[in-house]
Amino acid sequence: MSGASTDVEAVSAANTALYDALERGDLDALAEKWLEADVSVVHPGWPVISGRGEVIRSYALIMANTEYIQFFLTDVEVSVLGDTALVTCTENILSGGPAEEDGSAGPLVGGLVVATNVFRRGGDGGWRVWSHHGSPVLIDREDEDEEEADEDDGGPVTEIG
């Protein structure tokens, strides 16, 4: 097995471990996945967060306010150049809020996020996250809105502009 394919496999495993730690709500394990350097994160809908302490705090806030989260990663692409690696993927996310009063699970919500994770090889040879950027995938509802408008007034929808 070549060094390049070994690196790709190691980066892929590091990427999976990052999401596994988040799913388990294990902040210590998640913090271990990040470099001990100037790191950054962009959570969907959030501004850029810089600095290791602030990044880890942002994940603590997410974990504290998310009862359940599960990631199904698709379209995963890994490329390695020296001691830097780039992972792009689609995060198919299933999450839920607090449990209902009767103890049953709260409502579950699904969403799509496209993510870019940049990894650096650490001094121990392991791969650590340097930067994460997640952008929500918004479903184009324009066609649905036009169909509803046609049904409402019985006439076609005309866009001006």
Side-chain angles (χ1 to χ4, degrees), residues 79-145:
S79 56
V80 178
L81 184 60
D83 289 336
T84 304
L86 179 70
V87 178
T88 58
C89 61
T90 300
E91 301 171 353
N92 301 269
I93 305 169
L94 185 60
S95 63
E100 300 292 336
E101 288 182 21
D102 64 2
S104 64
L108 295 176
V109 178
L112 290 177
V113 172
V114 290
T116 302
N117 297 319
V118 181
F119 288 82
R120 294 280 297 163
R121 191 187 323 259
D124 62 356
W127 293 92
R128 303 285 183 268
V129 183
W130 187 8
S131 182
H132 166 81
H133 185 124
S135 295
V137 176
L138 304 176
I139 298 171
D140 185 9
R141 296 187 43 98
E142 186 174 306
D143 292 336
E144 290 178 24
D145 292 342

Side-chain angles (χ1 to χ4, degrees), residues 46-60:
W46 293 33
V48 176
I49 299 169
S50 297
R52 191 171 193 287
E54 292 301 312
V55 166
I56 301 306
R57 274 191 277 284
S58 74
Y59 280 102

